[in-house]
Short mmCIF file of all heavy atoms in Angstrom, two decimals:
data_model
loop_
_atom_site.label_atom_id
_atom_site.label_comp_id
_atom_site.label_asym_id
_atom_site.label_seq_id
_atom_site.Cartn_x
_atom_site.Cartn_y
_atom_site.Cartn_z
N VAL A 1487 280.99 116.10 106.88
CA VAL A 1487 279.56 116.25 107.05
C VAL A 1487 279.26 117.67 107.54
O VAL A 1487 278.35 118.36 107.01
CB VAL A 1487 278.99 115.20 108.02
CG1 VAL A 1487 277.57 115.48 108.43
CG2 VAL A 1487 279.07 113.80 107.41
N ARG A 1490 279.85 120.21 104.78
CA ARG A 1490 278.80 120.06 103.75
C ARG A 1490 277.50 120.71 104.21
O ARG A 1490 276.71 121.19 103.42
CB ARG A 1490 278.62 118.58 103.47
CG ARG A 1490 277.73 118.30 102.28
CD ARG A 1490 277.22 116.86 102.28
NE ARG A 1490 278.22 115.83 102.13
CZ ARG A 1490 278.33 114.76 102.91
NH1 ARG A 1490 277.49 114.57 103.95
NH2 ARG A 1490 279.22 113.86 102.70
N GLY A 1491 277.28 120.65 105.51
CA GLY A 1491 276.08 121.24 106.07
C GLY A 1491 274.89 120.30 106.21
O GLY A 1491 273.83 120.69 106.69
N HIS A 1492 275.06 119.07 105.76
CA HIS A 1492 273.99 118.09 105.96
C HIS A 1492 274.57 116.68 105.88
O HIS A 1492 275.66 116.47 105.33
CB HIS A 1492 272.85 118.26 104.94
CG HIS A 1492 273.28 118.04 103.51
ND1 HIS A 1492 273.64 119.06 102.69
CD2 HIS A 1492 273.43 116.89 102.78
CE1 HIS A 1492 273.97 118.56 101.50
NE2 HIS A 1492 273.86 117.27 101.53
N LEU A 1493 273.77 115.75 106.45
CA LEU A 1493 274.15 114.33 106.43
C LEU A 1493 273.55 113.70 105.19
O LEU A 1493 272.48 114.14 104.72
CB LEU A 1493 273.53 113.73 107.69
CG LEU A 1493 273.64 112.27 107.98
CD1 LEU A 1493 275.03 111.95 108.47
CD2 LEU A 1493 272.62 111.87 109.06
N ILE A 1494 274.21 112.68 104.66
CA ILE A 1494 273.62 111.93 103.52
C ILE A 1494 273.36 110.51 104.00
O ILE A 1494 274.29 109.77 104.31
CB ILE A 1494 274.50 111.92 102.26
CG1 ILE A 1494 274.85 113.37 101.85
CG2 ILE A 1494 273.77 111.22 101.11
CD1 ILE A 1494 275.79 113.48 100.68
N CYS A 1495 272.09 110.14 104.05
CA CYS A 1495 271.70 108.87 104.62
C CYS A 1495 271.08 107.97 103.54
O CYS A 1495 270.16 108.40 102.86
CB CYS A 1495 270.64 109.17 105.68
SG CYS A 1495 270.91 108.28 107.20
N GLY A 1496 271.59 106.78 103.42
CA GLY A 1496 271.03 105.82 102.47
C GLY A 1496 269.85 105.08 103.14
O GLY A 1496 270.01 104.49 104.20
N VAL A 1497 268.67 105.15 102.51
CA VAL A 1497 267.46 104.58 103.11
C VAL A 1497 266.71 103.68 102.11
O VAL A 1497 267.05 103.65 100.92
CB VAL A 1497 266.52 105.74 103.60
CG1 VAL A 1497 267.09 106.42 104.83
CG2 VAL A 1497 266.22 106.73 102.50
N GLY A 1511 257.13 114.80 100.14
CA GLY A 1511 258.53 114.44 100.04
C GLY A 1511 259.24 114.39 101.40
O GLY A 1511 260.45 114.29 101.46
N GLN A 1512 258.47 114.46 102.50
CA GLN A 1512 259.05 114.37 103.84
C GLN A 1512 259.25 112.88 104.17
O GLN A 1512 258.28 112.11 104.19
CB GLN A 1512 258.02 114.95 104.86
CG GLN A 1512 258.03 116.45 104.93
CD GLN A 1512 259.29 116.98 105.61
OE1 GLN A 1512 259.77 116.42 106.60
NE2 GLN A 1512 259.83 118.06 105.05
N TRP A 1513 260.47 112.54 104.50
CA TRP A 1513 260.75 111.13 104.81
C TRP A 1513 260.36 110.80 106.26
O TRP A 1513 260.54 111.64 107.16
CB TRP A 1513 262.24 110.86 104.63
CG TRP A 1513 262.62 110.72 103.19
CD1 TRP A 1513 262.89 111.74 102.33
CD2 TRP A 1513 262.69 109.52 102.43
NE1 TRP A 1513 263.17 111.25 101.09
CE2 TRP A 1513 263.05 109.88 101.11
CE3 TRP A 1513 262.50 108.17 102.72
CZ2 TRP A 1513 263.24 108.95 100.10
CZ3 TRP A 1513 262.70 107.23 101.70
CH2 TRP A 1513 263.06 107.61 100.41
N ASP A 1517 264.14 103.92 110.57
CA ASP A 1517 265.51 104.10 110.00
C ASP A 1517 265.79 105.57 109.73
O ASP A 1517 266.90 106.05 109.93
CB ASP A 1517 265.69 103.29 108.73
CG ASP A 1517 265.68 101.79 108.96
OD1 ASP A 1517 265.90 101.36 110.10
OD2 ASP A 1517 265.45 101.02 108.00
N VAL A 1518 264.77 106.23 109.23
CA VAL A 1518 264.87 107.68 108.91
C VAL A 1518 265.12 108.46 110.21
O VAL A 1518 265.93 109.39 110.24
CB VAL A 1518 263.57 108.12 108.21
CG1 VAL A 1518 263.40 109.65 108.24
CG2 VAL A 1518 263.57 107.62 106.75
N ASP A 1519 264.44 108.07 111.30
CA ASP A 1519 264.61 108.77 112.56
C ASP A 1519 266.01 108.63 113.14
O ASP A 1519 266.50 109.53 113.82
CB ASP A 1519 263.56 108.31 113.60
CG ASP A 1519 262.25 109.05 113.41
OD1 ASP A 1519 262.24 110.03 112.62
OD2 ASP A 1519 261.26 108.69 114.07
N LEU A 1520 266.66 107.54 112.84
CA LEU A 1520 268.06 107.39 113.30
C LEU A 1520 268.92 108.41 112.56
O LEU A 1520 269.78 109.08 113.15
CB LEU A 1520 268.55 105.96 113.08
CG LEU A 1520 269.97 105.67 113.60
CD1 LEU A 1520 270.02 105.90 115.11
CD2 LEU A 1520 270.39 104.28 113.29
N CYS A 1521 268.67 108.59 111.26
CA CYS A 1521 269.39 109.61 110.48
C CYS A 1521 269.11 110.99 111.06
O CYS A 1521 270.01 111.81 111.22
CB CYS A 1521 268.97 109.59 109.02
SG CYS A 1521 269.18 108.00 108.21
N ARG A 1522 267.85 111.25 111.37
CA ARG A 1522 267.49 112.57 111.94
C ARG A 1522 268.14 112.76 113.29
O ARG A 1522 268.53 113.87 113.64
CB ARG A 1522 265.96 112.68 112.07
CG ARG A 1522 265.25 112.71 110.74
CD ARG A 1522 263.86 113.35 110.87
NE ARG A 1522 263.04 113.13 109.69
CZ ARG A 1522 263.20 113.80 108.54
NH1 ARG A 1522 264.15 114.70 108.45
NH2 ARG A 1522 262.42 113.56 107.51
N GLY A 1523 268.25 111.68 114.07
CA GLY A 1523 268.90 111.75 115.38
C GLY A 1523 270.38 112.15 115.21
O GLY A 1523 270.89 112.96 115.98
N ILE A 1524 271.02 111.59 114.20
CA ILE A 1524 272.43 111.94 113.98
C ILE A 1524 272.53 113.39 113.55
O ILE A 1524 273.42 114.13 114.04
CB ILE A 1524 273.05 110.97 112.91
CG1 ILE A 1524 273.03 109.54 113.45
CG2 ILE A 1524 274.46 111.40 112.54
CD1 ILE A 1524 273.26 108.45 112.40
N ALA A 1525 271.63 113.84 112.68
CA ALA A 1525 271.63 115.24 112.24
C ALA A 1525 271.39 116.16 113.45
O ALA A 1525 271.99 117.23 113.58
CB ALA A 1525 270.58 115.46 111.18
N ALA A 1526 270.52 115.72 114.37
CA ALA A 1526 270.22 116.53 115.55
C ALA A 1526 271.47 116.61 116.43
O ALA A 1526 271.83 117.68 116.94
CB ALA A 1526 269.06 115.92 116.33
N ALA A 1527 272.18 115.49 116.58
CA ALA A 1527 273.40 115.48 117.39
C ALA A 1527 274.47 116.39 116.81
O ALA A 1527 275.15 117.12 117.52
CB ALA A 1527 273.93 114.06 117.54
N VAL A 1528 274.61 116.35 115.50
CA VAL A 1528 275.67 117.10 114.82
C VAL A 1528 275.30 118.57 114.60
O VAL A 1528 276.09 119.46 114.83
CB VAL A 1528 276.03 116.44 113.47
CG1 VAL A 1528 277.06 117.25 112.69
CG2 VAL A 1528 276.57 115.01 113.69
N PHE A 1529 274.08 118.82 114.10
CA PHE A 1529 273.68 120.16 113.66
C PHE A 1529 272.64 120.84 114.56
O PHE A 1529 272.25 121.97 114.25
CB PHE A 1529 273.10 120.12 112.25
CG PHE A 1529 274.04 119.63 111.21
CD1 PHE A 1529 273.88 118.38 110.60
CD2 PHE A 1529 275.12 120.41 110.79
CE1 PHE A 1529 274.73 117.93 109.60
CE2 PHE A 1529 275.99 119.96 109.80
CZ PHE A 1529 275.78 118.72 109.21
N ASP A 1530 272.14 120.14 115.55
CA ASP A 1530 271.02 120.62 116.33
C ASP A 1530 269.81 120.90 115.42
O ASP A 1530 269.01 121.79 115.65
CB ASP A 1530 271.41 121.93 117.08
CG ASP A 1530 270.38 122.28 118.18
OD1 ASP A 1530 269.60 121.40 118.55
OD2 ASP A 1530 270.40 123.44 118.64
N ASP A 1531 269.73 120.12 114.33
CA ASP A 1531 268.64 120.31 113.37
C ASP A 1531 268.39 118.98 112.64
O ASP A 1531 269.18 118.56 111.79
CB ASP A 1531 269.08 121.40 112.35
CG ASP A 1531 267.95 121.71 111.39
OD1 ASP A 1531 266.92 121.01 111.38
OD2 ASP A 1531 268.10 122.69 110.62
N PRO A 1532 267.25 118.34 113.00
CA PRO A 1532 266.97 117.02 112.41
C PRO A 1532 266.63 117.08 110.91
O PRO A 1532 266.53 116.05 110.26
CB PRO A 1532 265.74 116.55 113.21
CG PRO A 1532 265.08 117.81 113.66
CD PRO A 1532 266.17 118.81 113.89
N ALA A 1533 266.49 118.31 110.41
CA ALA A 1533 266.14 118.42 108.98
C ALA A 1533 267.38 118.44 108.08
O ALA A 1533 267.26 118.40 106.85
CB ALA A 1533 265.32 119.69 108.76
N LYS A 1534 268.54 118.52 108.70
CA LYS A 1534 269.75 118.60 107.88
C LYS A 1534 270.23 117.20 107.42
O LYS A 1534 271.34 116.77 107.71
CB LYS A 1534 270.86 119.34 108.63
CG LYS A 1534 270.46 120.81 108.80
CD LYS A 1534 271.63 121.71 108.94
CE LYS A 1534 271.18 123.16 108.76
NZ LYS A 1534 271.88 124.10 109.60
N VAL A 1535 269.34 116.54 106.70
CA VAL A 1535 269.66 115.23 106.15
C VAL A 1535 269.17 115.17 104.73
O VAL A 1535 268.03 115.59 104.44
CB VAL A 1535 268.92 114.06 106.86
CG1 VAL A 1535 269.52 112.72 106.45
CG2 VAL A 1535 268.90 114.20 108.35
N LYS A 1536 269.98 114.63 103.84
CA LYS A 1536 269.53 114.33 102.49
C LYS A 1536 269.37 112.83 102.43
O LYS A 1536 270.29 112.09 102.79
CB LYS A 1536 270.56 114.83 101.48
CG LYS A 1536 270.01 114.92 100.08
CD LYS A 1536 271.05 115.47 99.13
CE LYS A 1536 270.92 114.81 97.80
NZ LYS A 1536 271.78 113.64 97.61
N PHE A 1537 268.17 112.38 102.02
CA PHE A 1537 267.94 110.95 101.98
C PHE A 1537 268.17 110.40 100.57
O PHE A 1537 267.65 110.96 99.60
CB PHE A 1537 266.50 110.63 102.44
CG PHE A 1537 266.30 110.97 103.88
CD1 PHE A 1537 265.67 112.13 104.27
CD2 PHE A 1537 266.76 110.11 104.88
CE1 PHE A 1537 265.52 112.47 105.60
CE2 PHE A 1537 266.62 110.42 106.23
CZ PHE A 1537 265.98 111.59 106.58
N THR A 1538 268.98 109.35 100.48
CA THR A 1538 269.23 108.72 99.20
C THR A 1538 268.58 107.33 99.18
O THR A 1538 269.02 106.44 99.93
CB THR A 1538 270.77 108.56 98.98
OG1 THR A 1538 271.35 109.86 99.07
CG2 THR A 1538 271.10 107.94 97.66
N PRO A 1539 267.51 107.17 98.41
CA PRO A 1539 266.89 105.86 98.37
C PRO A 1539 267.78 104.85 97.62
O PRO A 1539 268.26 105.17 96.56
CB PRO A 1539 265.57 106.10 97.58
CG PRO A 1539 265.61 107.49 97.10
CD PRO A 1539 266.86 108.16 97.53
N VAL A 1554 277.00 107.75 100.25
CA VAL A 1554 276.22 108.07 101.46
C VAL A 1554 277.16 108.00 102.69
O VAL A 1554 278.19 107.32 102.64
CB VAL A 1554 275.02 107.10 101.65
CG1 VAL A 1554 274.00 107.26 100.53
CG2 VAL A 1554 275.48 105.64 101.74
N ASP A 1555 276.79 108.72 103.78
CA ASP A 1555 277.59 108.71 104.99
C ASP A 1555 277.30 107.47 105.83
O ASP A 1555 278.12 107.04 106.63
CB ASP A 1555 277.30 109.96 105.81
CG ASP A 1555 277.63 111.22 105.04
OD1 ASP A 1555 278.62 111.22 104.28
OD2 ASP A 1555 276.85 112.22 105.14
N LEU A 1556 276.07 106.99 105.71
CA LEU A 1556 275.71 105.73 106.38
C LEU A 1556 274.50 105.14 105.70
O LEU A 1556 273.81 105.82 104.94
CB LEU A 1556 275.41 105.94 107.88
CG LEU A 1556 274.06 106.52 108.26
CD1 LEU A 1556 273.63 105.93 109.62
CD2 LEU A 1556 274.15 108.01 108.42
N SER A 1558 270.95 103.40 106.63
CA SER A 1558 270.01 103.13 107.70
C SER A 1558 268.79 102.58 106.98
O SER A 1558 267.89 103.32 106.59
CB SER A 1558 269.72 104.42 108.47
OG SER A 1558 268.91 104.11 109.60
N TRP A 1694 283.43 108.09 113.46
CA TRP A 1694 282.09 108.18 112.87
C TRP A 1694 281.26 106.95 113.29
O TRP A 1694 280.07 107.06 113.60
CB TRP A 1694 282.19 108.30 111.34
CG TRP A 1694 280.91 108.45 110.65
CD1 TRP A 1694 280.27 107.51 109.89
CD2 TRP A 1694 280.01 109.59 110.70
NE1 TRP A 1694 279.07 108.00 109.44
CE2 TRP A 1694 278.88 109.27 109.94
CE3 TRP A 1694 280.06 110.83 111.32
CZ2 TRP A 1694 277.82 110.14 109.73
CZ3 TRP A 1694 279.02 111.71 111.13
CH2 TRP A 1694 277.91 111.37 110.36
N HIS A 1756 264.84 116.58 119.58
CA HIS A 1756 264.35 116.67 118.20
C HIS A 1756 263.66 115.40 117.73
O HIS A 1756 262.80 115.45 116.85
CB HIS A 1756 265.48 117.02 117.25
CG HIS A 1756 266.01 118.40 117.42
ND1 HIS A 1756 265.25 119.53 117.20
CD2 HIS A 1756 267.24 118.85 117.79
CE1 HIS A 1756 265.98 120.60 117.43
NE2 HIS A 1756 267.19 120.22 117.82
N VAL A 1757 264.11 114.24 118.21
CA VAL A 1757 263.61 112.98 117.64
C VAL A 1757 262.85 112.12 118.66
O VAL A 1757 262.01 111.33 118.32
CB VAL A 1757 264.78 112.20 116.99
CG1 VAL A 1757 264.30 110.93 116.34
CG2 VAL A 1757 265.50 113.07 115.95
#
Side-chain angles (χ1 to χ4, degrees):
V1487 169
R1490 188 197 295 132
H1492 63 265
L1493 176 75
I1494 305 177
C1495 225
V1497 290
Q1512 280 289 319
W1513 284 84
D1517 291 341
V1518 162
D1519 276 352
L1520 184 60
C1521 304
R1522 293 202 192 283
I1524 297 165
V1528 175
F1529 298 110
D1530 195 16
D1531 184 351
K1534 292 205 166 145
V1535 193
K1536 195 177 144 267
F1537 294 100
T1538 301
V1554 295
D1555 300 322
L1556 79 147
S1558 186
W1694 182 251
H1756 292 296
V1757 182

